[in-house]
Amino acid sequence: MKRVSPSDVIRSLIASAKRVADECDAEAVLLLADVPFEFSEMTQILKKSRLVVASDKPDVQRAAHEDGIDSVPLLHEPQTRSLQVTQALLEAIADDLLQPGGKVVCVYSLFERDVLDTVSIVNLADQLSRLTARDLRRLETTVPLETLRLVVDLAVEVGREGREGKSVGTMFVVGDHRKVLPMTHEQVHDPFKGYGAKDRMIRSPRVQESMKEIAQLDGAFIISSDGQVRAAGRNIDAPATGLTLSKGLGSRHWAAAAISKQTKAVAIAVSESTGTVRIFQNGFVVLRIEPMERGLKWSSFETEPPPSDDK
């Protein structure tokens, strides 16, 4: 692997990034790199400012590792620089390399891929809050955005706060309920059974609090496109054949993937162990929300075949 020593122009840009980082009290300088620089030379310029390298190139990631620099792997697919910066920031937060409330100075190539030419200041709290509505709109679904946001916000709260000091894992299946319900069966007694439609609408704060409490029980919530809880405590019977998921995900996530593949519903799974919220569509994870913030992202995962019990 041939390493590239920073040119005088790049050294000047890194020095400018350091001054900006010092002035705005940024916690790190995030560098999007397409070539394996001598990153140790950059750290000498940055001095006390911490460097984080993000790249989709394996040789760049190896170079950063060799120089003892924290690195963030990016997806290898055509994207705008703006999307790459967003992905890098979210990945860095997920890996505890950055704090969600801080500021970061980003250095990257905007006009020529191999020439660093741009320095930006990013307030992570503002950046992550803007992602939610924008990325939810990317989902190609008939579920109204208002309903989807209500359910996603509820899932994030469950993942971040749990209930009464305990971690909680649960699942929400939104939309196409007429096809979804026949592919489920009652796992626990349905707490919503017998209530009128008004008392089952998720836009009601009272219903949301009830759902947080019920989330401690096993089973999924089935929610119609208009935001009505049609059932709770349901076990998913959809087959998990032909699916691939990230290693380490359990039966709840396999069930979410399965029901989203077999129907037009969007399934939202909350991990009990980490609080991470994953949104499934057509059998795939399309968005992931870390518990510390409502930042959403497209994700790519190492995969494995379905478990033998089809869950």
Side-chain angles (χ1 to χ4, degrees), residues 3-4 6 31 33 35-44 51 53 59-61 63-65 67 69:
R3 303 286 288 273
V4 178
L31 173 66
V35 297
F37 290 108
E38 292 286 355
F39 294 111
S40 58
E41 296 182 23
M42 295 183 177
T43 59
Q44 292 175 7
L51 178 65
V53 174
D59 57 345
V60 175
Q61 297 167 21
H65 178 73
D67 289 347
I69 308 298

Side-chain angles (χ1 to χ4, degrees), residues 229-257:
V229 183
R230 296 286 179 162
R234 306 296 292 185
N235 193 67
I236 305 297
D237 299 325
T241 54
L243 298 174
T244 54
L245 284 186
S246 175
K247 292 183 177 180
L249 295 184
S251 59
R252 179 180 294 113
H253 296 87
W254 284 101

Side-chain angles (χ1 to χ4, degrees), residues 150-196:
L150 284 169
V151 180
V152 168
D153 284 348
L154 181 60
V156 169
E157 289 180 22
V158 170
R160 184 172 56 227
E161 302 169 5
R163 198 65 174 171
E164 298 179 354
K166 296 181 181 179
S167 298
V168 173
T170 191
M171 178 166 53
F172 306 88
V173 184
V174 191
D176 203 10
H177 70 278
R178 289 184 176 85
K179 189 172 181 180
V180 169
L181 279 170
M183 304 182 75
T184 71
H185 67 268
E186 190 174 79
Q187 182 161 320
V188 298
H189 177 69
D190 185 356
F192 282 96
K193 191 172 183 178
Y195 283 87

